[in-house]
Amino acid sequence: MGLGSYWGEVIEVLQEIIPVYDKVNSIISLGKDVEHRNRGIKNRVYPGNKVLDAGSGFGNMSKTASKITNGKISITLYDPLVPMLKNTGVHFDKSPDMANGVFEHIPFREGQFDAVLCGYSLRDAINLRIAISEIHRVLKKDGRFVIVDLGKPDEGFFRAGVSFYLRCILPILAFAAGGKLGLKFGTLYGTYKRWPQNKKLEELLLEKFSKVEFEKDLMGGAIMVAAYK
């Protein structure tokens, strides 16, 4: 499970849409991205924690965590795109640590982080099972892995509804928000097709983690997950 060879195409598109990335993301999540990040992170990141924002994009997950903890956390941003990391630094009062790489080969030692955050990024893993294993490896004992992402409902009717939205409605909203660059968000549907259903994702996490809390919104089309080492 994961993007496999499709990853290269997705990364190219992500690099192209950097100028409109945040604006379009907010629109296509129906304005609920901030709420979902808060719901996912609250009571799972604490003052004094060392946090890895994996697939960080502009660092929205760690910015949310910093706000919740009054800035009393240590943040490392980690993303496969160097241009994304360069843009990220301007969004923080104090530039956080940064590293470049993929989920499947995280360049940190075992047990280094209290929490790993993935906001709309784990879906882009090349190999999902290896990505989860690597995240588990770099977490401390009792560490938390927080995922906020699109959900793939287990019920066929709702799954069809989410697919229709991503395939047909999202491109219209993305174009309205980001013009021609917004249209490139259509690659989201390709990542969604390769993304496991909610129950299967929970099962994958339980292969490595001792406990998983799985919260859903928008008929299962949005998920906020916490997996505990």
Side-chain angles (χ1 to χ4, degrees), residues 211-222:
K211 183 177 75 167
V212 174
E213 295 172 348
F214 212 103
E215 189 178 355
K216 305 168 190 173
D217 195 11
L218 301 175
M219 301 180 297

Side-chain angles (χ1 to χ4, degrees):
M1 253 171 285
L3 295 187
S5 59
Y6 187 56
W7 183 82
E9 182 179 336
V10 170
I11 288 298
E12 282 183 20
V13 169
L14 285 172
Q15 186 153 323
E16 290 180 48
I17 63 177
I18 286 173
V20 298
Y21 181 81
D22 258 3
K23 183 179 179 183
V24 176
N25 257 348
S26 182
I27 293 291
I28 64 179
S29 69
L30 305 178
K32 301 200 78 172
D33 55 323
V34 173
E35 175 195 332
H36 290 160
R37 282 194 290 268
N38 274 289
R39 283 168 62 179
I41 293 169
K42 192 173 182 181
N43 297 322
R44 287 153 181 162
V45 177
Y46 305 101
N49 278 180
K50 189 172 184 181
V51 174
L52 179 67
D53 191 344
S56 59
F58 286 157
N60 287 320
M61 287 290 279
S62 46
K63 279 187 283 186
T64 301
S66 183
K67 186 176 180 181
I68 288 172
T69 59
N70 294 314
K72 296 176 181 177
I73 56 173
S74 170
I75 297 167
T76 299
L77 303 176
Y78 182 63
D79 200 89
L81 290 172
V82 171
M84 189 74 84
L85 290 169
K86 286 181 178 177
N87 275 272
T88 297
V90 303
H91 296 278
F92 289 83
D93 295 331
K94 179 184 175 184
S95 186
D97 293 336
M98 299 183 191
N100 170 238
V102 297
F103 288 120
E104 292 77 10
H105 302 282
I106 299 177
F108 298 105
R109 66 179 184 272
E110 293 181 11
Q112 190 166 347
F113 297 97
D114 298 286
V116 175
L117 313 178
C118 284
Y120 305 99
S121 60
L122 186 64
R123 190 168 20 90
D124 296 335
I126 302 167
N127 184 305
L128 188 54
R129 185 173 265 110
I130 293 174
I132 290 169
S133 179
E134 273 290 272
I135 289 165
H136 180 272
R137 180 183 66 78
V138 299
L139 277 169
K140 296 178 182 177
K141 186 178 183 297
D142 300 321
R144 286 84 58 201
F145 176 24
V146 177
I147 305 162
V148 177
D149 214 316
L150 296 176
K152 196 167 192 176
D154 301 302
E155 305 84 356
F157 176 77
F158 294 133
R159 191 163 62 248
V162 174
S163 293
F164 176 79
Y165 170 74
L166 292 174
R167 193 172 66 249
C168 302
I169 307 299
L170 181 148
I172 298 170
L173 296 177
F175 178 72
K180 288 183 179 179
L181 279 179
L183 289 175
K184 293 184 178 291
F185 275 73
T187 56
L188 267 178
Y189 183 63
T191 67
Y192 180 77
K193 285 197 298 183
R194 293 163 173 81
W195 187 228
Q197 292 179 25
N198 292 337
K199 188 62 181 175
K200 179 60 179 176
L201 177 60
E202 185 175 4
E203 290 170 357
L204 276 173
L205 290 166
L206 283 169
E207 287 178 7
K208 298 296 293 186
F209 290 87
S210 62
K211 183 177 75 167
V212 174
E213 295 172 348
F214 212 103
E215 189 178 355
K216 305 168 190 173
D217 195 11
L218 301 175
M219 301 180 297
I223 56 171
M224 294 130 278
V225 184
Y228 295 80
K229 185 169 180 179

